[in-house]
Amino acid sequence: MLFQILWGTTPALFAVVMTSWWEIALPQQVSTPMPISRSQDQASYSQNRVSYPQVLSQMTPFTLTKKANLEGRLWGFLPNDQGIITYDSDANQSFLWSMEGAEIGTLAGIAIRASSDGQTIGLSASAREDRSRLVTLDGTERHRFEGTVVTFAPEEPQVFVYSHQQDRTSLFDFEGKALASFKGMFFKFGPEHQSLITYSSSEERYYLFTPEGGELASFPSRNNALEFTSDGQQVVLSNISGPSQIFDLQGAEQAAYEGRFLSFTPDEQTLITYIQKEEVSHLLSLAGQHLATFPGFFQTFTSDLQHVITVLPEAEETHLYTLDGAKVASLIGSFQELLPNEEQLITSTQGEAAMTYLYALTGDQLAVFEGRFRDFWQAQQVVITSGSSLDDDRIETRLSNLQGDELVVLSGNFAGITPDGTGIIVAHENSSSLFRISGEPSDAIEN
């Protein structure tokens, strides 16, 4: 699911609404930092739209009931289903709501992170200021920091704070006592949280540290992405234009490959690279032997590891190949998601006439949906798409079953699915609306 709960143990950073210094601090291929949970939509809205989304049409027996109007746009969910967070950018305020839409409290600033128990929140003063503070859910301030909260420690009441001015991350307890210091901005935890990676924009290097701040190794990083191998004993660095390199945890290079590293096969005996100038993906052995070529940008393997899925973005085409490079099918639209049963996939086109498609892995088209793909609501077996209404230029969110039957049309832009799988939130201007499924989930997917 694209929309997810992001909290202290998630190895991501924070994101902001407006362009600011931290959006350019990391290499281009490093994932930009993320907040507690970002809304799915970042589109702009005209000022003449209605205040709250409404149900425009609905096919029984799928029934959605509007539970609450929420001030601010959906920003995320607290861990353990403890609440909903919205954010009003005009007022620079974060709002806390129960999962049923009852207001819990209002906090000044942007909610960036929540502790794993959901009881403490890291707030940034604003999108452009290098200051933050820790508060409890009732608004009680625990401590103020010069720097921005980037993540919480996974098990202890501790928080990592990054100072852009110093290009340094510090570990504090909730009372503000400094426990450790690390060169660069926190990037991710290592396997089982036994180490952590930072990225220094001033040095253009990644650093590997112990949790206590001891430096173990560093790696060159200009425009490189970094990830650990599954056993945690090596790291892979890859540049958008190549090459890709594997290093051990002492910083010694173990292997190099032409092209940008995209993925290992699950057994990590082979890997996929992409050569941008050729617009092709390659299957290589760990020794660098070429095994197969797949035109397009690699997306994923099918669960049986018998097929590769690639995309030609400019042509908005998806291709299926066998592992030896034989083409199985060409599909309309860019690949979006493999359904959990792994026997079907979703593609989508963009633009005003965007459409979404459901295909079998044989290449057979199973259903077509109006609008661009937004998410697959797994608990309800529903495909969510969105687009602009031709009548009143309002964004609409469409819910359809896997047969392509349109079940519900909501006014407003899709923002997220509640963690329990029984609710959906749509956004409009600077507000959000919470809807819940009425009746049994099985009713919602009847033909």
Side-chain angles (χ1 to χ4, degrees):
M1 212 168 83
L2 298 177
F3 193 77
Q4 57 183 313
I5 306 170
L6 300 179
W7 41 287
T9 58
T10 305
L13 307 178
F14 65 96
V16 292
V17 178
M18 297 177 284
T19 302
S20 50
W21 56 260
W22 45 73
E23 289 182 316
I24 59 174
L26 294 175
Q28 294 178 2
Q29 296 309 304
V30 177
S31 299
T32 55
M34 297 187 70
I36 292 174
S37 290
R38 280 301 292 271
S39 164
Q40 286 293 324
D41 177 71
Q42 298 300 323
S44 60
Y45 297 84
S46 65
Q47 297 301 311
N48 59 354
R49 292 180 180 142
V50 296
S51 297
Y52 294 106
Q54 303 174 26
V55 177
L56 299 182
S57 65
Q58 187 160 275
M59 175 188 290
T60 57
F62 188 96
T63 304
L64 282 177
T65 301
K66 188 175 183 179
K67 301 295 291 186
N69 292 322
L70 312 176
E71 187 173 355
R73 295 180 60 80
L74 176 66
W75 197 250
F77 301 100
L78 289 173
N80 307 317
D81 294 349
Q82 294 183 71
I84 300 168
I85 299 177
T86 60
Y87 176 68
D88 183 334
S89 57
D90 293 334
N92 190 32
Q93 289 183 322
S94 297
F95 299 92
L96 305 180
W97 313 85
S98 74
M99 294 306 297
E100 295 303 315
E103 188 170 355
I104 298 173
T106 302
L107 305 172
I110 305 172
I112 304 170
R113 285 288 180 187
S115 58
S116 58
D117 63 5
Q119 297 302 301
T120 303
I121 294 177
L123 289 164
S124 174
S126 74
R128 294 184 179 275
E129 294 186 54
D130 196 18
R131 294 183 293 111
S132 57
R133 59 198 180 101
L134 292 184
V135 298
T136 58
L137 296 187
D138 63 4
T140 301
E141 185 173 296
R142 303 197 67 165
H143 195 75
R144 292 186 176 230
F145 299 100
E146 291 297 323
T148 304
V149 171
V150 290
T151 195
F152 284 82
E155 298 177 356
E156 301 294 332
Q158 299 168 354
V159 63
F160 291 87
V161 177
Y162 175 70
S163 168
H164 175 255
Q165 185 176 4
Q166 300 177 9
D167 189 24
R168 198 162 199 87
T169 298
S170 297
L171 177 65
F172 296 93
D173 65 20
F174 283 4
E175 308 308 317
K177 179 181 178 181
L179 304 174
S181 182
F182 313 87
K183 176 66 176 178
M185 175 187 269
F186 174 89
F187 180 68
K188 65 165 62 178
F189 287 108
E192 300 181 356
H193 305 103
Q194 297 302 304
S195 61
L196 61 91
I197 292 282
T198 65
Y199 170 71
S200 171
S201 57
S202 61
E203 301 291 338
E204 294 186 342
R205 296 187 72 82
Y206 285 106
Y207 290 89
L208 177 66
F209 289 98
T210 67
E212 296 75 30
E215 183 180 327
L216 299 174
S218 67
F219 313 96
S221 66
R222 183 173 177 81
N223 292 325
N224 285 349
L226 179 147
E227 62 182 87
F228 284 91
T229 55
S230 61
D231 61 6
Q233 298 304 305
Q234 297 175 315
V235 296
V236 184
L237 289 175
S238 59
N239 187 286
I240 189 170
S241 58
S244 300
Q245 301 162 285
I246 297 179
F247 293 86
D248 64 23
L249 298 187
Q250 288 71 50
E253 182 179 303
Q254 303 297 298
Y257 308 94
E258 183 182 8
R260 172 186 175 185
F261 170 83
L262 296 181
S263 176
F264 285 109
T265 53
D267 61 7
E268 294 201 351
Q269 296 305 303
T270 54
L271 57 95
I272 294 280
T273 63
Y274 176 72
I275 299 180
Q276 187 177 31
K277 63 182 178 181
E278 299 175 3
E279 296 186 342
V280 295
S281 300
H282 295 277
L283 180 66
L284 307 175
S285 69
L286 294 182
Q289 179 184 2
H290 182 270
L291 302 177
T293 297
F294 313 102
F297 190 84
F298 170 84
Q299 300 293 297
T300 188
F301 294 97
T302 55
S303 60
D304 60 6
L305 302 182
Q306 297 306 303
H307 296 89
V308 166
I309 300 174
T310 69
V311 162
L312 296 175
E314 293 186 4
E316 289 195 310
E317 291 180 355
T318 297
H319 295 254
L320 275 72
Y321 296 93
T322 61
L323 290 184
D324 60 4
K327 182 185 287 188
V328 175
S330 294
L331 314 177
I332 301 171
S334 297
F335 172 79
Q336 301 294 319
E337 187 166 331
L338 269 176
L339 296 194
N341 61 18
E342 301 287 354
E343 299 298 326
Q344 299 168 335
L345 62 88
I346 292 175
T347 67
S348 183
T349 59
Q350 302 294 315
E352 293 184 3
M355 301 294 288
T356 296
Y357 303 88
L358 178 67
Y359 287 96
L361 293 184
T362 58
D364 296 323
Q365 189 178 103
L366 304 177
V368 180
F369 313 87
E370 182 178 347
R372 65 187 178 97
F373 177 75
R374 303 306 303 280
D375 209 342
F376 177 63
W377 193 348
Q378 182 176 349
Q380 309 301 332
Q381 295 291 289
V382 163
V383 174
I384 302 173
T385 60
S386 67
S388 298
S389 168
L390 297 178
D391 296 329
D392 53 18
D393 196 32
R394 294 187 303 181
I395 295 176
E396 296 174 348
T397 295
R398 301 176 181 274
L399 279 63
S400 306
N401 63 23
L402 290 176
Q403 289 71 48
D405 301 317
E406 196 169 87
L407 304 173
V408 177
V409 180
L410 301 174
S411 172
N413 211 351
F414 171 72
I417 297 168
T418 58
D420 64 3
T422 67
I424 183 173
I425 297 177
V426 291
H428 196 78
E429 293 188 7
N430 208 21
S431 64
S432 302
S433 284
L434 170 66
F435 294 84
R436 289 282 185 182
I437 291 290
S438 299
E440 296 297 323
S442 60
D443 293 337
I445 60 174
E446 288 182 357
N447 294 326

